[in-house]
């Protein structure tokens, strides 16, 4: 296992090729952790350091070998909103000299936190251009400060924010939408000029790949000034929400590629329905911040909005099958949740599927008849609930090995998800995948194998999934 773990980690780790944020050597789908789903904006330095320690600790075993998430390629820890002090100019998070202000009550020494991550060989990622919803973030955006044009922000902040971030030693950054500084090309240029290789996440910022109703927007024609880009609204800890975001991602899979991966959102496995302080009084939202997740936000077979083991495993399978970054969002220091999800996250074949590249990020192969349902969004379902039509089942595929000489594929990964409370039969013709008429089917989770000809077919029980690899049988 040790040799395999090193090989897999190297396939997704940062390789120092070109300085700067874009282009850079970060070409594989990223694996890591970010704070929002666990604690929303109530993040602190001590909590982040808890995650750094947990991701690097070898407290579980794979094939008898002590193994950490870091060994498996989950090599990043990221801060989300909540680190800034809103004591700057006109209630913003920048001082009169144009530099950002850290909330030192919550983060007494951000530099020492970054150094602590690096001492554990963990990459650490920052968060900028924060949303201005006062219920979560509290600060005014630069675009709301007198004299700054809407949606352009304070141009000095582009340079200063990156200079300050680089000085602290961060290895990546998530640019959120709604903070006023929305020019992703400008952000990337500032990172490039810094000379530091920095992973860039575009979270619906800058008018590119924004919320799903803007279906014409894709990666900008001049290139992709980010390593990963969000393709829809924030997820809720509901299987309806995860499938909805997966469907939104489908329209971007044709432009998803190494160095520029489409990203439905963070993984919801283990994430609480609400953060520990999410019900605090909130004058901007008179009803308070209590969870808006309801008892019917799951399938009829599992009505809890917090993902079951089956639902979280299905999400992980689907994310691997469309080459998405896999960013965890539960408290890694919670032993119960860590031990619950580690067998899924350490599955050798699943990680190989995610890391493989045979020319296609993944695609929707088929879907069942639609059903209309209310879908929640956001960590506490707070963003909104809306009515959407989702497929009764969806089948996703990704070629993972090609035959360059023959111009065909030798192996595909398939994830099939049943989103309703009745059994669904799905079938994939081998000819549809460019595979020969006989293949070996390997179940990713059980490692069971079977030989099939012509088509792979399965009946999915209510609310379940299958994750398999189809490989051309030996002649």
């Amino acid at each position: 296992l040790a040799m395999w773990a090193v090989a897999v980690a190297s396939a997704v780790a940062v390789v120092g090729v070109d300085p700067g944020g874009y282009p850079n050597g970060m070409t594989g789908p990223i694996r890591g952790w970010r704070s929002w789903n666990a604690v929303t904006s109530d993040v602190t330095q001590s909590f982040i350091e808890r995650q750094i320690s947990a991701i690097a600790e070898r407290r579980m075993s794979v094939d008898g070998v002590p193994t950490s998430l870091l060994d498996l390629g989950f090599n990043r820890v990221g801060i989300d909103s909540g680190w800034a002090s809103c004591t700057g100019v006109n209630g913003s998070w920048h001082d009169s000299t144009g530099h950002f202000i850290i909330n030192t009550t919550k983060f007494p020494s951000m530099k020492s936190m970054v150094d602590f991550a690096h001492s554990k060989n963990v990459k650490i990622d920052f968060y900028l251009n924060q949303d201005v919803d006062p219920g979560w973030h509290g600060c005014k955006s630069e675009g709301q400060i007198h004299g700054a044009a809407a949606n352009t922000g304070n141009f000095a902040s582009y340079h200063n924010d990156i200079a300050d971030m680089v000085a602290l030693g961060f290895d990546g950054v998530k640019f959120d939408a709604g903070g006023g500084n929305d020019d992703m090309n400008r952000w990337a240029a500032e990172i490039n000029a810094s000379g530091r290789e920095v992973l860039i996440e575009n979270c619906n910022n800058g008018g590119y790949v924004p919320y799903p109703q803007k279906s014409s927007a894709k990666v900008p024609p001049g290139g992709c000034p980010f390593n990963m880009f969000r393709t829809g609204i924030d997820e809720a800890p509901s299987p309806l929400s995860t499938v909805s975001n997966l469907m939104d991602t489908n329209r971007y899979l044709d432009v998803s590629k190494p160095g520029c991966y489409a990203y439905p959102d963070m993984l919801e496995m283990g994430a609480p329905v609400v953060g520990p302080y999410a019900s605090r009084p909130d004058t901007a939202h008179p009803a308070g911040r209590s969870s808006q997740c309801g008892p019917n936000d799951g399938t009829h077979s599992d009505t809890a909005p917090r993902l079951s083991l089956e639902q979280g495993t299905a999400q992980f399978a689907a994310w691997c099958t469309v080459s998405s970054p896999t960013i965890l969002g539960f408290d890694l220091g919670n032993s119960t949740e860590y031990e619950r999800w580690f067998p899924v996250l350490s599955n050798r074949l699943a990680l190989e599927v995610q890391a493989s590249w045979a020319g296609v990020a993944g695609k929707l192969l088929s879907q069942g008849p639609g059903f209309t349902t209310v879908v929640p969004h956001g960590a506490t379902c707070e963003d909104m609930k809306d009515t959407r039509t989702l497929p009764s089942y969806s089948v996703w595929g990704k070629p993972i090995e090609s035959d360059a000489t023959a111009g065909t594929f030798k192996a595909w990964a398939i994830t099939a998800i049943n989103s309703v409370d009745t059994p669904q039969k799905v079938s994939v013709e081998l000819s549809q995948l460019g595979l020969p008429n006989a293949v070996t089917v390997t179940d990713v989770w059980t490692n069971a194998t079977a030989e099939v000809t012509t088509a792979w077919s399965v009946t999915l029980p209510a609310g379940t999934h299958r994750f398999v690899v189809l490989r051309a049988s030996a002649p």
Side-chain angles (χ1 to χ4, degrees):
L1 170 81
M3 292 179 63
W4 167 81
V6 170
V8 171
S10 66
V12 296
V14 173
V15 179
V17 178
D18 300 308
Y22 175 81
N24 57 36
M26 290 172 271
T27 56
I30 306 306
R31 299 176 192 152
W33 179 94
R34 191 170 283 276
S35 61
W36 183 256
N37 282 354
V39 291
T40 62
S41 55
D42 295 301
V43 62
T44 63
Q45 179 171 334
S46 61
F47 186 75
I48 293 297
E49 290 178 352
R50 170 182 166 103
Q51 308 312 307
I52 293 166
S53 295
I55 210 168
E57 182 183 356
R58 294 186 174 105
R59 52 177 151 151
M60 299 287 285
S61 293
V62 178
D63 296 336
V65 179
T67 304
S68 67
L69 286 172
L70 178 60
D71 292 330
L72 298 169
F74 291 85
N75 63 348
R76 314 190 75 90
V77 166
I79 303 172
D80 214 284
S81 181
W83 61 266
S85 172
C86 306
T87 56
V89 177
N90 294 336
S92 77
W93 44 285
H94 289 87
D95 63 22
S96 59
T97 66
H99 293 273
F100 60 63
I101 308 170
I102 298 169
N103 184 330
T104 54
T105 300
K106 298 172 71 174
F107 290 86
S109 176
M110 199 167 277
K111 183 65 170 66
S112 68
M113 178 189 71
V114 171
D115 291 343
F116 178 69
H118 292 161
S119 75
K120 299 285 189 179
N121 294 318
V122 174
K123 303 291 184 183
I124 186 162
D125 298 339
F126 202 42
Y127 173 90
L128 286 171
N129 201 45
Q130 63 183 1
D131 193 339
V132 297
D133 179 347
W136 290 117
H137 311 283
C139 300
K140 292 183 179 180
S141 75
E142 300 306 294
Q144 290 184 324
I145 295 176
H146 179 71
N151 298 320
T152 60
N154 182 340
F155 287 133
S157 295
Y158 287 95
H159 175 77
N160 291 344
D161 284 0
I162 298 306
D164 293 349
M165 179 190 75
V166 167
L168 289 168
F170 282 98
D171 305 294
V173 58
K174 170 183 174 180
F175 294 104
D176 211 341
N181 289 349
D182 296 338
D183 188 336
M184 287 304 303
N185 288 303
R186 191 180 185 97
W187 281 120
E190 291 290 349
I191 290 175
N192 290 340
S194 77
R196 182 172 179 80
E197 186 171 82
V198 174
L199 180 141
I200 301 177
E201 176 187 343
N202 177 4
C203 182
N204 295 314
N205 190 27
Y208 299 123
V209 290
Y211 289 160
Q213 56 265 36
K214 297 185 178 179
S215 58
S216 63
K218 289 193 176 181
V219 172
C224 181
F226 28 79
N227 298 101
M228 52 193 283
F229 60 94
R230 276 277 299 280
T231 57
I233 198 168
D234 287 4
E235 280 180 338
S238 156
L240 298 177
S241 182
T242 58
V243 169
S244 176
N245 275 42
L246 184 61
M247 294 302 295
D248 289 338
T249 300
N250 181 52
R251 72 191 69 198
Y252 304 113
L253 290 177
D254 60 334
V255 294
S256 181
K257 61 184 179 180
C260 184
Y261 281 104
Y263 173 47
D265 200 356
M266 290 172 278
L267 295 167
E268 293 292 336
M269 53 172 58
V273 172
V274 294
Y277 308 110
S279 60
R280 64 188 184 281
D282 179 359
T283 56
H285 299 80
R289 275 296 185 189
S290 59
S291 172
Q292 299 301 304
C293 297
N296 297 316
D297 288 333
T299 65
H300 286 269
S301 58
D302 186 343
T303 57
R306 182 178 180 275
L307 296 194
S308 67
L309 182 62
E310 165 63 30
Q311 292 161 348
T313 304
Q315 185 191 18
F316 186 69
W319 266 227
C320 290
T321 306
V322 297
S323 305
S324 170
T326 46
I327 308 301
L328 302 169
F330 67 91
D331 178 7
L332 301 178
N334 182 325
S335 296
T336 299
E337 291 303 319
Y338 190 98
E339 293 169 11
R340 183 184 189 215
W341 296 108
F342 187 86
V344 176
L345 300 172
S346 61
N347 183 280
R348 178 180 313 195
L349 188 51
L351 296 178
E352 289 175 352
V353 167
Q354 185 209 16
S356 67
W357 180 256
V360 179
K363 60 172 61 179
L364 177 64
L365 298 176
S366 65
Q367 58 183 305
F371 67 100
T372 301
T373 183
V374 175
V375 177
H377 308 287
T380 67
C381 310
E382 83 287 343
D383 281 353
M384 63 174 179
K385 291 185 179 184
D386 58 13
T387 299
R388 299 191 175 195
T389 299
L390 300 178
S392 53
Y393 69 82
S394 56
V395 183
W396 303 83
K398 173 185 178 179
I400 59 174
E401 185 178 351
S402 61
D403 185 331
T405 302
T408 59
F409 294 116
K410 297 171 66 175
W412 278 72
I414 305 290
T415 294
I417 301 173
N418 180 357
S419 297
V420 295
D421 60 347
T422 56
Q424 299 291 307
K425 184 174 182 178
V426 303
S427 184
V428 179
E429 299 288 332
L430 300 184
S431 59
Q432 178 186 357
L433 308 178
L435 290 172
N437 203 37
V439 300
T440 300
V441 180
T442 302
D443 187 293
V444 172
W445 303 125
T446 68
N447 209 36
T449 61
E451 304 296 320
V452 302
T453 58
T454 308
W456 173 72
S457 300
V458 65
T459 298
L460 299 170
T464 64
H465 82 290
R466 287 289 298 277
F467 186 17
V468 298
V469 168
L470 280 55
R471 189 176 299 276
S473 300

